[in-house]
Tab-separated table of all heavy atoms in Angstrom:
chain	number	residue	atom	x	y	z
A	1	TYR	N	-8.109	99.670	87.954
A	1	TYR	CA	-6.951	99.850	88.806
A	1	TYR	C	-5.661	99.527	87.948
A	1	TYR	O	-5.705	98.559	87.223
A	1	TYR	CB	-6.987	98.947	90.028
A	1	TYR	CG	-8.111	99.247	90.925
A	1	TYR	CD1	-9.360	98.521	90.809
A	1	TYR	CD2	-8.054	100.319	91.855
A	1	TYR	CE1	-10.399	98.795	91.665
A	1	TYR	CE2	-9.177	100.583	92.667
A	1	TYR	CZ	-10.296	99.789	92.549
A	1	TYR	OH	-11.358	100.137	93.393
A	2	THR	N	-4.666	100.223	88.229
A	2	THR	CA	-3.357	99.917	87.573
A	2	THR	C	-2.772	98.698	88.199
A	2	THR	O	-3.174	98.266	89.340
A	2	THR	CB	-2.341	101.084	87.757
A	2	THR	OG1	-2.051	101.238	89.107
A	2	THR	CG2	-2.905	102.394	87.164
A	3	HIS	N	-1.800	98.038	87.548
A	3	HIS	CA	-1.126	96.953	88.177
A	3	HIS	C	-0.445	97.328	89.462
A	3	HIS	O	-0.370	96.580	90.443
A	3	HIS	CB	-0.132	96.345	87.217
A	3	HIS	CG	-0.807	95.590	86.127
A	3	HIS	ND1	-0.242	95.541	84.840
A	3	HIS	CD2	-1.904	94.840	86.026
A	3	HIS	CE1	-1.058	94.840	84.080
A	3	HIS	NE2	-2.101	94.345	84.785
A	4	ASP	N	0.088	98.539	89.461
A	4	ASP	CA	0.703	99.046	90.648
A	4	ASP	C	-0.219	99.136	91.888
A	4	ASP	O	0.095	98.767	92.989
A	4	ASP	CB	1.447	100.383	90.428
A	4	ASP	CG	2.576	100.328	89.468
A	4	ASP	OD1	2.982	99.237	89.096
A	4	ASP	OD2	3.011	101.404	89.001
A	5	MET	N	-1.383	99.663	91.562
A	5	MET	CA	-2.421	99.706	92.673
A	5	MET	C	-2.852	98.374	93.093
A	5	MET	O	-3.093	98.125	94.304
A	5	MET	CB	-3.624	100.558	92.200
A	5	MET	CG	-4.688	100.667	93.256
A	5	MET	SD	-4.102	101.319	94.834
A	5	MET	CE	-4.207	103.070	94.501
A	6	LEU	N	-3.028	97.422	92.159
A	6	LEU	CA	-3.409	96.089	92.506
A	6	LEU	C	-2.348	95.395	93.395
A	6	LEU	O	-2.622	94.761	94.392
A	6	LEU	CB	-3.654	95.216	91.270
A	6	LEU	CG	-4.924	95.525	90.448
A	6	LEU	CD1	-4.964	94.738	89.171
A	6	LEU	CD2	-6.143	95.186	91.259
A	7	ALA	N	-1.062	95.655	93.064
A	7	ALA	CA	0.032	95.058	93.795
A	7	ALA	C	0.035	95.675	95.221
A	7	ALA	O	0.200	94.917	96.173
A	7	ALA	CB	1.347	95.304	93.066
A	8	ALA	N	-0.140	96.991	95.273
A	8	ALA	CA	-0.129	97.596	96.649
A	8	ALA	C	-1.267	97.080	97.501
A	8	ALA	O	-1.078	96.772	98.691
A	8	ALA	CB	-0.269	99.168	96.472
A	9	THR	N	-2.460	96.907	96.935
A	9	THR	CA	-3.580	96.464	97.732
A	9	THR	C	-3.417	94.985	98.048
A	9	THR	O	-3.779	94.490	99.123
A	9	THR	CB	-4.939	96.679	97.055
A	9	THR	OG1	-4.933	96.071	95.756
A	9	THR	CG2	-5.163	98.128	96.863
A	10	LYS	N	-2.809	94.136	97.184
A	10	LYS	CA	-2.515	92.752	97.489
A	10	LYS	C	-1.467	92.656	98.599
A	10	LYS	O	-1.567	91.730	99.425
A	10	LYS	CB	-2.096	92.047	96.214
A	10	LYS	CG	-3.171	91.531	95.348
A	10	LYS	CD	-3.955	90.441	96.125
A	10	LYS	CE	-5.146	89.946	95.323
A	10	LYS	NZ	-5.829	88.878	95.995
A	11	VAL	N	-0.456	93.499	98.630
A	11	VAL	CA	0.498	93.500	99.726
A	11	VAL	C	-0.253	93.781	101.009
A	11	VAL	O	-0.076	93.059	102.009
A	11	VAL	CB	1.655	94.536	99.469
A	11	VAL	CG1	2.427	94.682	100.760
A	11	VAL	CG2	2.501	94.075	98.307
A	12	ALA	N	-1.126	94.769	100.998
A	12	ALA	CA	-1.852	95.078	102.201
A	12	ALA	C	-2.746	93.873	102.593
A	12	ALA	O	-2.879	93.551	103.826
A	12	ALA	CB	-2.788	96.278	102.012
A	13	ALA	N	-3.318	93.214	101.635
A	13	ALA	CA	-4.201	92.045	101.926
A	13	ALA	C	-3.350	90.870	102.495
A	13	ALA	O	-3.765	90.323	103.551
A	13	ALA	CB	-4.872	91.613	100.677
A	14	ILE	N	-2.276	90.576	101.894
A	14	ILE	CA	-1.466	89.412	102.398
A	14	ILE	C	-0.864	89.657	103.786
A	14	ILE	O	-0.666	88.747	104.549
A	14	ILE	CB	-0.402	88.971	101.400
A	14	ILE	CG1	0.000	87.494	101.565
A	14	ILE	CG2	0.842	89.885	101.422
A	14	ILE	CD1	0.716	86.932	100.480
A	15	MET	N	-0.610	90.951	104.098
A	15	MET	CA	-0.094	91.276	105.393
A	15	MET	C	-1.097	91.511	106.489
A	15	MET	O	-0.771	91.703	107.621
A	15	MET	CB	0.874	92.473	105.271
A	15	MET	CG	2.065	92.218	104.419
A	15	MET	SD	3.073	90.786	104.851
A	15	MET	CE	3.594	91.243	106.551
A	16	SER	N	-2.347	91.441	106.088
A	16	SER	CA	-3.427	91.603	107.098
A	16	SER	C	-3.309	90.427	108.071
A	16	SER	O	-3.240	89.224	107.710
A	16	SER	CB	-4.766	91.521	106.334
A	16	SER	OG	-5.861	91.460	107.363
A	17	PRO	N	-3.413	90.716	109.397
A	17	PRO	CA	-3.241	89.670	110.371
A	17	PRO	C	-4.427	88.642	110.335
A	17	PRO	O	-4.190	87.564	110.840
A	17	PRO	CB	-3.223	90.454	111.692
A	17	PRO	CG	-3.806	91.788	111.417
A	17	PRO	CD	-3.544	92.063	109.933
A	18	ASN	N	-5.540	89.024	109.842
A	18	ASN	CA	-6.662	88.108	109.793
A	18	ASN	C	-6.929	87.379	108.485
A	18	ASN	O	-7.907	86.852	108.197
A	18	ASN	CB	-7.929	88.898	110.137
A	18	ASN	CG	-7.901	89.523	111.522
A	18	ASN	OD1	-7.332	88.913	112.473
A	18	ASN	ND2	-8.419	90.680	111.666
A	19	ARG	N	-5.859	87.438	107.612
A	19	ARG	CA	-5.941	86.869	106.301
A	19	ARG	C	-4.834	85.926	106.016
A	19	ARG	O	-3.735	86.229	106.271
A	19	ARG	CB	-5.947	88.008	105.240
A	19	ARG	CG	-6.286	87.590	103.865
A	19	ARG	CD	-6.424	88.815	102.981
A	19	ARG	NE	-6.432	88.501	101.577
A	19	ARG	CZ	-7.525	88.408	100.849
A	19	ARG	NH1	-8.735	88.549	101.400
A	19	ARG	NH2	-7.487	88.068	99.560
A	20	ASN	N	-5.159	84.786	105.452
A	20	ASN	CA	-4.167	83.751	105.097
A	20	ASN	C	-4.666	83.078	103.829
A	20	ASN	O	-5.096	81.952	103.878
A	20	ASN	CB	-4.079	82.756	106.309
A	20	ASN	CG	-2.815	81.975	106.266
A	20	ASN	OD1	-1.864	82.303	105.591
A	20	ASN	ND2	-2.840	80.889	106.952
A	21	VAL	N	-4.581	83.740	102.697
A	21	VAL	CA	-5.247	83.271	101.461
A	21	VAL	C	-4.200	82.953	100.351
A	21	VAL	O	-3.510	83.847	99.972
A	21	VAL	CB	-6.238	84.385	101.015
A	21	VAL	CG1	-7.008	83.923	99.738
A	21	VAL	CG2	-7.236	84.689	102.108
A	22	PRO	N	-4.216	81.758	99.870
A	22	PRO	CA	-3.260	81.356	98.806
A	22	PRO	C	-3.424	82.248	97.529
A	22	PRO	O	-2.440	82.467	96.828
A	22	PRO	CB	-3.621	79.920	98.486
A	22	PRO	CG	-4.262	79.419	99.732
A	22	PRO	CD	-4.998	80.596	100.308
A	23	ARG	N	-4.607	82.690	97.295
A	23	ARG	CA	-4.825	83.511	96.098
A	23	ARG	C	-3.914	84.755	96.095
A	23	ARG	O	-3.488	85.269	95.036
A	23	ARG	CB	-6.349	83.927	96.018
A	23	ARG	CG	-6.677	84.746	94.792
A	23	ARG	CD	-6.543	83.877	93.578
A	23	ARG	NE	-6.691	84.675	92.372
A	23	ARG	CZ	-7.325	84.210	91.337
A	23	ARG	NH1	-7.920	83.052	91.350
A	23	ARG	NH2	-7.405	84.911	90.256
A	24	ASP	N	-3.589	85.290	97.277
A	24	ASP	CA	-2.704	86.509	97.346
A	24	ASP	C	-1.349	86.197	96.790
A	24	ASP	O	-0.754	87.018	96.043
A	24	ASP	CB	-2.647	87.013	98.773
A	24	ASP	CG	-3.960	87.559	99.259
A	24	ASP	OD1	-4.808	87.954	98.420
A	24	ASP	OD2	-4.133	87.670	100.500
A	25	ILE	N	-0.803	85.027	97.146
A	25	ILE	CA	0.500	84.599	96.627
A	25	ILE	C	0.460	84.523	95.072
A	25	ILE	O	1.250	84.993	94.326
A	25	ILE	CB	0.992	83.335	97.301
A	25	ILE	CG1	1.342	83.579	98.729
A	25	ILE	CG2	2.193	82.810	96.527
A	25	ILE	CD1	1.669	82.322	99.505
A	26	TYR	N	-0.598	83.792	94.616
A	26	TYR	CA	-0.781	83.617	93.163
A	26	TYR	C	-0.879	84.914	92.466
A	26	TYR	O	-0.168	85.174	91.470
A	26	TYR	CB	-2.077	82.789	92.926
A	26	TYR	CG	-2.324	82.412	91.526
A	26	TYR	CD1	-1.641	81.360	90.914
A	26	TYR	CD2	-3.260	83.065	90.811
A	26	TYR	CE1	-1.928	80.976	89.644
A	26	TYR	CE2	-3.606	82.712	89.475
A	26	TYR	CZ	-2.889	81.647	88.954
A	26	TYR	OH	-3.142	81.332	87.651
A	27	ASP	N	-1.694	85.850	92.957
A	27	ASP	CA	-1.859	87.180	92.357
A	27	ASP	C	-0.541	88.007	92.408
A	27	ASP	O	-0.162	88.625	91.451
A	27	ASP	CB	-2.984	87.963	92.977
A	27	ASP	CG	-4.340	87.351	92.728
A	27	ASP	OD1	-4.497	86.523	91.774
A	27	ASP	OD2	-5.284	87.611	93.426
A	28	LEU	N	0.110	88.007	93.561
A	28	LEU	CA	1.359	88.819	93.675
A	28	LEU	C	2.415	88.232	92.782
A	28	LEU	O	3.259	88.980	92.232
A	28	LEU	CB	1.799	88.856	95.164
A	28	LEU	CG	1.051	89.795	96.012
A	28	LEU	CD1	1.269	89.518	97.495
A	28	LEU	CD2	1.436	91.258	95.634
A	29	HIS	N	2.439	86.896	92.536
A	29	HIS	CA	3.445	86.337	91.658
A	29	HIS	C	3.171	86.873	90.241
A	29	HIS	O	4.094	87.204	89.522
A	29	HIS	CB	3.306	84.831	91.665
A	29	HIS	CG	4.400	84.121	90.959
A	29	HIS	ND1	4.246	83.676	89.682
A	29	HIS	CD2	5.643	83.858	91.338
A	29	HIS	CE1	5.365	83.119	89.281
A	29	HIS	NE2	6.261	83.230	90.276
A	30	ASP	N	1.937	87.006	89.801
A	30	ASP	CA	1.587	87.569	88.509
A	30	ASP	C	1.868	89.093	88.456
A	30	ASP	O	2.117	89.584	87.348
A	30	ASP	CB	0.089	87.361	88.234
A	30	ASP	CG	-0.228	85.959	87.723
A	30	ASP	OD1	0.747	85.268	87.383
A	30	ASP	OD2	-1.369	85.611	87.599
A	31	LEU	N	1.819	89.704	89.558
A	31	LEU	CA	2.038	91.186	89.605
A	31	LEU	C	3.491	91.600	89.909
A	31	LEU	O	3.800	92.730	90.151
A	31	LEU	CB	1.131	91.835	90.661
A	31	LEU	CG	-0.343	91.740	90.333
A	31	LEU	CD1	-1.199	92.078	91.624
A	31	LEU	CD2	-0.690	92.770	89.179
A	32	ALA	N	4.422	90.659	89.800
A	32	ALA	CA	5.830	90.870	90.232
A	32	ALA	C	6.457	91.958	89.494
A	32	ALA	O	7.406	92.625	89.964
A	32	ALA	CB	6.622	89.565	90.109
A	33	ALA	N	6.073	92.251	88.284
A	33	ALA	CA	6.740	93.335	87.470
A	33	ALA	C	6.191	94.680	87.838
A	33	ALA	O	6.697	95.709	87.313
A	33	ALA	CB	6.514	93.044	85.979
A	34	SER	N	5.191	94.767	88.656
A	34	SER	CA	4.607	96.024	89.082
A	34	SER	C	5.620	96.848	89.906
A	34	SER	O	6.628	96.303	90.391
A	34	SER	CB	3.359	95.814	89.877
A	34	SER	OG	2.442	95.072	89.163
A	35	MET	N	5.327	98.145	90.064
A	35	MET	CA	6.129	98.957	90.875
A	35	MET	C	5.301	99.806	91.898
A	35	MET	O	5.114	101.015	91.699
A	35	MET	CB	6.932	99.896	89.980
A	35	MET	CG	7.936	99.153	89.056
A	35	MET	SD	8.721	100.062	87.767
A	35	MET	CE	9.471	101.348	88.673
A	36	PRO	N	4.817	99.145	92.922
A	36	PRO	CA	3.869	99.826	93.864
A	36	PRO	C	4.595	100.575	94.998
A	36	PRO	O	3.928	100.996	95.948
A	36	PRO	CB	3.089	98.643	94.440
A	36	PRO	CG	4.056	97.581	94.499
A	36	PRO	CD	4.933	97.729	93.205
A	37	GLU	N	5.939	100.766	94.947
A	37	GLU	CA	6.662	101.288	96.061
A	37	GLU	C	6.118	102.696	96.492
A	37	GLU	O	5.935	102.929	97.656
A	37	GLU	CB	8.118	101.410	95.722
A	37	GLU	CG	8.772	100.075	95.442
A	37	GLU	CD	8.692	99.680	93.963
A	37	GLU	OE1	7.950	100.242	93.183
A	37	GLU	OE2	9.384	98.723	93.581
A	38	LYS	N	5.903	103.561	95.521
A	38	LYS	CA	5.423	104.842	95.855
A	38	LYS	C	4.000	104.824	96.511
A	38	LYS	O	3.815	105.452	97.505
A	38	LYS	CB	5.338	105.789	94.610
A	38	LYS	CG	4.884	107.167	94.975
A	38	LYS	CD	4.883	108.107	93.823
A	38	LYS	CE	4.399	109.509	94.084
A	38	LYS	NZ	3.625	109.757	95.293
A	39	LEU	N	3.145	104.007	95.987
A	39	LEU	CA	1.834	103.811	96.503
A	39	LEU	C	1.879	103.290	97.917
A	39	LEU	O	1.216	103.710	98.835
A	39	LEU	CB	0.966	102.924	95.623
A	39	LEU	CG	0.588	103.533	94.272
A	39	LEU	CD1	-0.021	102.425	93.410
A	39	LEU	CD2	-0.351	104.630	94.445
A	40	LEU	N	2.730	102.255	98.153
A	40	LEU	CA	2.883	101.747	99.482
A	40	LEU	C	3.379	102.762	100.448
A	40	LEU	O	2.940	102.948	101.570
A	40	LEU	CB	3.801	100.499	99.441
A	40	LEU	CG	3.275	99.244	98.803
A	40	LEU	CD1	4.391	98.236	98.546
A	40	LEU	CD2	2.215	98.642	99.663
A	41	GLY	N	4.367	103.585	99.956
A	41	GLY	CA	4.945	104.642	100.795
A	41	GLY	C	3.919	105.687	101.117
A	41	GLY	O	3.905	106.243	102.218
A	42	ASP	N	2.997	105.977	100.174
A	42	ASP	CA	1.964	106.961	100.397
A	42	ASP	C	0.863	106.455	101.283
A	42	ASP	O	0.237	107.210	102.015
A	42	ASP	CB	1.325	107.463	99.079
A	42	ASP	CG	2.338	108.249	98.249
A	42	ASP	OD1	3.374	108.745	98.729
A	42	ASP	OD2	2.030	108.456	96.972
A	43	MET	N	0.580	105.168	101.203
A	43	MET	CA	-0.489	104.530	101.988
A	43	MET	C	-0.129	104.257	103.441
A	43	MET	O	-1.047	104.242	104.272
A	43	MET	CB	-0.889	103.175	101.340
A	43	MET	CG	-1.561	103.260	99.985
A	43	MET	SD	-1.791	101.643	99.109
A	43	MET	CE	-2.091	100.495	100.379
A	44	LEU	N	1.142	103.993	103.717
A	44	LEU	CA	1.495	103.423	104.997
A	44	LEU	C	2.580	104.301	105.701
A	44	LEU	O	3.439	104.888	105.061
A	44	LEU	CB	2.070	102.023	104.821
A	44	LEU	CG	1.069	101.057	104.097
A	44	LEU	CD1	1.872	99.815	103.688
A	44	LEU	CD2	-0.072	100.678	105.024
A	45	GLU	N	2.483	104.269	107.045
A	45	GLU	CA	3.471	104.941	107.844
A	45	GLU	C	4.782	104.151	107.850
A	45	GLU	O	4.781	102.897	107.554
A	45	GLU	CB	3.022	105.062	109.285
A	45	GLU	CG	1.739	105.895	109.406
A	45	GLU	CD	1.925	107.358	109.040
A	45	GLU	OE1	3.045	107.914	109.326
A	45	GLU	OE2	1.001	107.981	108.491
A	46	LEU	N	5.922	104.769	108.035
A	46	LEU	CA	7.198	104.153	108.054
A	46	LEU	C	7.304	102.906	109.052
A	46	LEU	O	7.844	101.879	108.661
A	46	LEU	CB	8.326	105.113	108.372
A	46	LEU	CG	8.619	106.176	107.312
A	46	LEU	CD1	9.666	107.207	107.834
A	46	LEU	CD2	9.026	105.593	106.029
A	47	ASP	N	6.665	103.045	110.158
A	47	ASP	CA	6.775	101.940	111.114
A	47	ASP	C	6.018	100.702	110.625
A	47	ASP	O	6.383	99.582	110.860
A	47	ASP	CB	6.283	102.356	112.525
A	47	ASP	CG	4.805	102.767	112.573
A	47	ASP	OD1	4.364	103.445	111.599
A	47	ASP	OD2	4.160	102.534	113.546
A	48	VAL	N	4.866	100.920	109.943
A	48	VAL	CA	4.132	99.818	109.306
A	48	VAL	C	4.958	99.180	108.192
A	48	VAL	O	5.008	98.007	108.093
A	48	VAL	CB	2.742	100.313	108.794
A	48	VAL	CG1	2.029	99.163	108.043
A	48	VAL	CG2	1.950	100.835	109.938
């Protein structure tokens, strides 16, 4: 997976209502230089 895809999936993971995992913050901090905006836009509806 690209860093962008990892970042997009980590955003989805951290925003999951049933998930509260410190590893997501740690990983997203490492992925801060990624650019997952297009992937997030393609994956999710505007309201989400």
Side-chain angles (χ1 to χ4, degrees):
Y1 299 95
T2 65
H3 287 146
D4 295 347
M5 180 55 82
L6 288 171
T9 58
K10 274 294 176 175
V11 169
I14 204 165
M15 294 309 296
S16 172
N18 299 323
R19 187 172 168 98
N20 197 20
V21 180
R23 182 67 189 220
D24 293 339
I25 292 175
Y26 184 79
D27 291 343
L28 282 165
H29 190 262
D30 279 347
L31 293 165
S34 301
M35 297 173 53
E37 300 87 349
K38 180 177 179 346
L39 292 168
L40 288 166
D42 291 346
M43 289 170 36
L44 302 166
E45 298 295 325
L46 291 175
D47 62 323
V48 174

